[in-house]
Amino acid sequence: SQGDSGTALATWNELLSEVPYDSRLVGEAAAAQSELLGEGRAELKALSAEVERARFFGLADLFRIKLERAEDLASRFRGTSVDEQASALAELIRAELNELDADSARNELQRLEAIGSVLRRRGADGLATRVDAYRTGLDGSGATQPESMDKSTTGGQ
């Protein structure tokens, strides 16, 4: 009832090992274990389907939400097969999220490079230099945010 199914399953196992002769308790424990694991497997199946839909849209924030849910599921069912499968799903999501983030960073760098080129062609060399500096900072060591590019540093452009 508190959402910690892994602990509940472990408690049922402990009870069964200590009182294996009470057939009523054994039956109740088996039914409760099956129900809890069934709920976990159903939740895992639904989450896997949601991850497939997230792949279709390719949105990093959607993957982050699914990662959080997979980690929560693994935590709630720790020590069970659901934990193992949810943890594996979380690792898969992390890998895809890293790939999405890398693609996004590459796209942003290309976009900034194109903006700098257009600005140079239009004669806005000061602003182009600032965009290039920002892009270089993103590419390596971090840079000042675009909000810091005011008219006094960009030649009023």
Side-chain angles (χ1 to χ4, degrees), residues 103-113 134-135 138:
D103 287 346
S104 178
R106 278 191 298 274
N107 290 341
E108 179 66 3
L109 291 172
Q110 290 172 349
R111 185 182 74 83
L112 289 169
E113 186 175 359
Y134 178 72
R135 180 179 51 84
L138 285 180

Side-chain angles (χ1 to χ4, degrees), residues 44-132:
L44 183 62
K45 182 178 179 182
L47 182 56
S48 295
E50 291 174 22
V51 169
E52 285 301 317
R53 284 191 291 279
R55 261 188 209 112
F56 175 77
F57 292 107
L59 300 173
D61 286 342
L62 194 53
F63 272 99
R64 285 184 185 89
I65 291 167
K66 302 312 170 194
L67 175 59
E68 188 176 299
R69 288 200 38 219
E71 291 171 338
D72 176 61
L73 184 60
S75 173
R76 287 185 292 122
F77 283 87
R78 71 183 168 278
T80 68
S81 61
V82 173
D83 171 14
E84 293 170 10
Q85 293 170 338
S87 294
L89 181 60
E91 284 303 314
L92 177 71
I93 294 168
R94 267 189 214 93
E96 293 192 33
L97 186 55
N98 287 339
E99 188 175 317
L100 276 174
D101 286 343
D103 287 346
S104 178
R106 278 191 298 274
N107 290 341
E108 179 66 3
L109 291 172
Q110 290 172 349
R111 185 182 74 83
L112 289 169
E113 186 175 359
I115 289 170
S117 295
V118 169
L119 289 170
R120 264 188 289 297
R121 282 195 307 269
R122 305 273 174 155
D125 293 331
L127 188 54
T129 300
R130 292 293 310 243
V131 170
D132 289 343

Side-chain angles (χ1 to χ4, degrees), residues 132-147:
D132 289 343
Y134 178 72
R135 180 179 51 84
T136 301
L138 285 180
D139 194 19
S141 62
T144 56
Q145 296 301 313
E147 298 85 40

Side-chain angles (χ1 to χ4, degrees), residues 1-24:
S1 68
Q2 295 176 353
D4 191 358
S5 300
T7 300
L9 288 164
T11 303
W12 277 118
N13 282 332
E14 183 180 329
L15 178 65
L16 286 175
S17 67
E18 290 180 15
V19 194
Y21 52 84
D22 186 333
S23 62
R24 183 185 62 78

